[in-house]
Structures are given as C-alpha cells and as structure tokens.
C-alpha cells in the first residue's frame, strides 16, 4: 500500500511518514500543490488543505478527478462545520482536524483503507486448511477448528492477503482497535493459541519485529 503525504510543514510530514512506515505503508511526500499533482499513483493521499502555493480544497477536487479510486483523507487546522462539509464535498473520504493524535490518524487510515480495499474472497484454502470468512467457520482436514471471536478476527486479517506480512500495529488496530504498546503481549498470546489450535504443520509465520503472515500454501 502506497501513501502520498501532502504537507508543507517538513517536521509534521517526517513524523507522519515515520508513523505510516511503521504501519507497513510505503510513503511518498509532497510539500506543495504542484508536487502533489506531479506525484505518481498511490492507494491513499493524506492531504493537508493549508498549502503555500494554492487552495487545498481545489487540489482535493483535482486529485479526485485524476484518480477516482484513490482514498483521500483531508487534514486541516480549520475545524468549523462549514469547512468540514466543504472538505468532504471536495471528494475526500474522511476528514481530520488538527491537532490530532497519531493513534486517531492511524485509526482513520485503517478504516478508509478497509473500505477501499477490494472485497476479500469469502473462502480461503491453504493446503488442508479451509477458512470460510463469511460463515466464520474454520476446518483443517476433516476437523472443525473452534476459535474465539478474537482468534477468528486475527486469522481473517491474515487470510485477506495470504503470503503478505501484516504488521503488528495493523493487527492491533483491526482486532482490538488500539495501538497501545501494552496490547502487543495480548496479540502474541492470542497468536500462540491460534497457532496451537490450527495444528501442524503451522500456517502462521512470525516475522520478528514486524508482524505475522499466513502461509500461501
Ligand atoms: Ca499546512
């Protein structure tokens, strides 16, 4: 997933880029309207509406016209209701008012990405493991695997993209709705139980310091 950060404050842009990288995104940066319009295609744009060389709302409209699929989150220091409406009517998918916390930003990013991501296949087959995402049912061979709600949600997150490492922070946001570092231990405990329930040979791979991945086959 590639994100374009449009922000003229270099310090803010660097902090945003670092946070997004930690969550597994590839980050491009633009500090002006001209740079934003010249940027390559991305999956999501984080757009500061207060830019030095032009009107952010107008830029938002133009970016939306250029790429109808891209997810756009508009960011502004102005918090008035009228400005929010203008922001959303300009084609943004969501709207964030400064000052915001990094946790709030990441929750919005994840929510927008989830909405815009292609719908996952309802059934995922990996070897003799059968995951029915719609029915919330998992079997391995002929045996049903009984999972708790959180264990199933974790497995579902990984099953959306087999073979792709899902960062720990994203799993914490999607399953527990938090980026609180203390929740990392809960994640590891749930993952260990899930791995034990799914049995051998294991289909859950740990990528140390990054996250988890479901084997592709
Ligand atoms: Ca600005």
């Amino acid at each position: 997933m590639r994100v374009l950060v449009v922000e003229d404050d270099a310090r803010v842009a660097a902090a945003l880029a670092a946070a997004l990288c930690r969550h597994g995104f590839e980050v491009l940066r633009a500090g002006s309207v001209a740079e934003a319009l010249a940027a390559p295609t991305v999956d999501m744009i984080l757009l500061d509406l207060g830019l030095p060389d032009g009107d952010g709302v107008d830029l938002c409209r133009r970016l939306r016209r250029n790429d109808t699929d891209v997810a756009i989150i508009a960011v502004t220091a102005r918090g008035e209701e009228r400005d929010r409406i203008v922001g959303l009517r300009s084609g943004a998918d969501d709207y964030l008012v400064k000052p915001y916390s990094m946790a709030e930003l990441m929750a919005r990013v994840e929510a927008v990405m989830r909405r815009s991501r292609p719908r996952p296949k309802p059934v995922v087959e990996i070897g003799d493991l059968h995951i029915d995402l719609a029915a919330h049912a998992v079997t391995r061979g002929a045996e049903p695997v009984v999972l708790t709600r959180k264990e199933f949600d974790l497995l579902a997150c990984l099953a959306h993209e087999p073979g792709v490492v899902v960062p720990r922070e994203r799993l914490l946001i999607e399953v527990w709705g938090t980026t609180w570092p203390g929740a990392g231990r809960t994640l590891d405990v749930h993952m260990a139980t899930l791995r034990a329930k799914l049995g051998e040979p294991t289909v859950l791979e740990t990528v140390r310091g990054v996250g988890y991945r479901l084997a592709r086959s």
Side-chain angles (χ1 to χ4, degrees):
M1 291 283 185
R2 200 147 76 147
V3 181
L4 174 66
V5 172
V6 184
E7 168 65 66
D8 58 307
D9 184 327
R11 214 169 44 93
V12 174
L16 286 174
L20 289 162
C21 283
R22 271 201 307 279
H23 285 75
F25 294 99
E26 185 191 337
V27 181
L28 307 180
R29 278 162 64 172
S32 65
V33 169
E35 282 175 21
L37 288 171
T41 308
V42 293
D43 302 296
M44 186 176 71
I45 300 174
L46 216 55
L47 175 63
D48 175 27
L49 294 179
L51 291 167
D53 63 335
D55 178 34
V57 171
D58 180 53
L59 171 63
C60 189
R61 286 200 189 96
R62 288 168 73 181
L63 291 169
R64 169 59 67 218
R65 257 203 312 274
N66 291 349
D67 183 351
T68 50
D69 289 337
V70 68
I72 301 177
I73 299 180
V75 180
T76 183
R78 300 172 295 181
E80 289 177 15
E81 197 59 32
R82 201 164 53 90
D83 292 325
R84 287 170 191 260
I85 292 162
V86 169
L88 289 170
R89 281 206 185 135
S90 64
D93 297 282
D94 205 350
Y95 199 84
L96 208 51
V97 177
K98 289 180 182 176
Y100 54 82
S101 70
M102 224 31 114
E104 186 186 0
L105 170 74
M106 290 316 306
R108 299 289 185 91
V109 165
E110 296 294 345
V112 166
M113 286 310 232
R114 206 159 37 228
R115 285 203 297 271
S116 61
R117 207 176 285 165
R119 291 203 68 75
K121 280 189 245 140
V123 172
V124 178
E125 304 262 10
I126 291 153
D128 60 352
L129 177 67
H130 181 99
I131 307 166
D132 188 330
L133 292 168
H136 278 227
V138 179
T139 55
R140 184 139 201 198
E143 293 297 311
V145 181
V146 180
L147 300 178
T148 65
R149 176 66 187 270
K150 293 289 185 206
E151 289 161 2
F152 181 84
D153 289 349
L154 265 180
L155 183 61
C157 276
L158 299 168
H160 288 165
E161 291 174 287
V164 174
V165 182
V166 181
R168 300 173 59 84
E169 290 81 1
R170 187 175 303 177
L171 291 169
L172 286 172
I173 284 181
E174 295 216 359
V175 177
W176 283 276
T178 179
T179 51
W180 180 57
R185 168 103 185 104
T186 305
L187 169 63
D188 293 330
V189 168
H190 276 77
M191 202 55 91
T193 317
L194 179 59
R195 183 175 278 145
K197 286 185 177 181
L198 292 173
E200 296 289 335
T202 189
V203 289
L204 292 174
E205 297 166 357
T206 307
V207 181
R208 281 185 79 86
V210 183
Y212 292 94
R213 154 173 76 202
L214 191 62
R216 209 188 288 275
S217 58

